[in-house]
Each structure stands twice: as structure tokens, then as C-alpha cells.
Amino acid sequence: LIQFNHGLHDLKQLYNEESGTYGTYQVAIEDYKKNLEREIAIMKKTGAKLMWCATTPVPNNSSGRWGGVAMGRRKDEDLVFNRAALEVISRHPEIMVNDLNGFIRRSRSLDNWRKGKDVHFWDRAEQKIVGRAVADAIRKALEK
């Protein structure tokens, strides 16, 4: 089984520090979909079962500098990229879906995380919750 995902880096946007506005995505949506199709074609050649994992939420707007460039992530842009990915995944009915995004949005245990700006799960307790959700999805997929 190969569980795959990408999105949190692709959905970063240029950020204008003076105006506080967000610009173009690091990877345009159409390119994101093309890249996903290419990756699926490569993974299918392995003969493994495939499972796409929904990109986890962007809890709130953030900005910073990556490689000297002002970039940021906007709250809920993950939903835009997940819709685009599901458009691609729908053309491949054999690919299973792990809705980790939905799990995180519904989990009461992650309420504090959702108040922050960081897309990462640094807290050990949060890591265990998310890790268990991923492991459960993989276990179920392997039983099929």
C-alpha cells in the first residue's frame, strides 16, 4: 500500500508584507492536478494498492519567509486543493481515500491546534492522535 499526499507546500502563496495580501500559489491548481496525475501513473506501475490522504487543514492565516521569499498560507485553502485532488482521484476509482482533513476538523482533541497558525503537529499528544488516525486508515485499507 502506498499512501500519498502533497498540498501544504503547493498551496503556499506569495505574501506582500506591506499590504498583508496573498498572491499566486506556489503551484497553480492546474499544475497541481497534472502533477498528481503523473504521480499516480508512476505509483500504479508498482502494483501496490493506492490511498490518497487529504491534505490537512490550514487552521488560520500565516506568513513567513521561506528561502528569503515572503510566503504564507491562508485558512481553508486546503479545501481548494483537496477539491482539485478529489477531481483527479475520482478518475481512478481504485484509489482509496483517507480523509485526514475531515478527521482533524472533527476531532475535539485538536481544538487547541485549530486556534493556532502552524500547520504542523508539534505537540506529542497531537502527533499521537493524528498518527493513530493514519495508522487506522492504513490498517483498514490493507484488510480490503
Side-chain angles (χ1 to χ4, degrees):
L1 174 84
I2 300 172
Q3 179 178 247
F4 61 100
N5 162 273
H6 62 92
L8 283 174
H9 290 277
D10 293 356
L11 62 77
K12 281 185 201 170
Q13 293 173 273
L14 290 175
Y15 182 71
N16 184 312
E17 294 171 315
E18 284 184 26
S19 65
T21 57
Y22 294 84
T24 59
Y25 292 118
Q26 184 159 301
V27 176
I29 293 287
E30 288 306 312
D31 290 336
Y32 175 78
K33 291 192 284 190
K34 288 176 191 172
N35 292 341
L36 192 52
E37 283 286 6
R38 277 190 225 114
E39 292 166 7
I40 289 168
I42 291 166
M43 288 183 285
K44 279 186 174 184
K45 291 177 184 177
T46 69
K49 291 181 181 183
L50 301 179
M51 181 167 58
W52 174 73
C53 182
T55 297
T56 54
V58 175
N60 292 290
N61 292 357
S62 66
S63 63
R65 291 192 156 270
W66 287 275
V69 178
M71 308 263 322
R73 291 185 181 99
R74 286 189 300 168
K75 179 180 175 68
D76 294 337
E77 287 299 298
D78 51 281
L79 299 173
V80 174
F81 275 70
N82 282 338
R83 274 193 298 277
L86 284 170
E87 181 183 318
V88 172
I89 299 301
S90 71
R91 294 192 287 268
H92 305 275
E94 72 281 7
I95 297 178
M96 296 170 273
V97 173
N98 175 1
D99 184 14
L100 191 58
N101 184 289
F103 171 82
I104 290 169
R105 287 177 180 275
R106 291 185 303 272
S107 176
R108 307 287 288 157
S109 300
L110 296 169
D111 285 348
N112 282 334
W113 176 85
R114 282 191 295 278
K115 292 175 187 174
K117 293 181 177 185
D118 197 334
V119 296
H120 301 93
F121 298 93
W122 300 109
D123 180 81
R124 289 238 189 253
E126 293 168 351
Q127 289 174 355
K128 283 180 97 171
I129 292 164
V130 175
R132 189 173 301 120
V134 171
D136 288 346
I138 290 170
R139 190 177 303 109
K140 287 177 187 170
L142 289 172
E143 291 171 356
K144 291 182 178 184

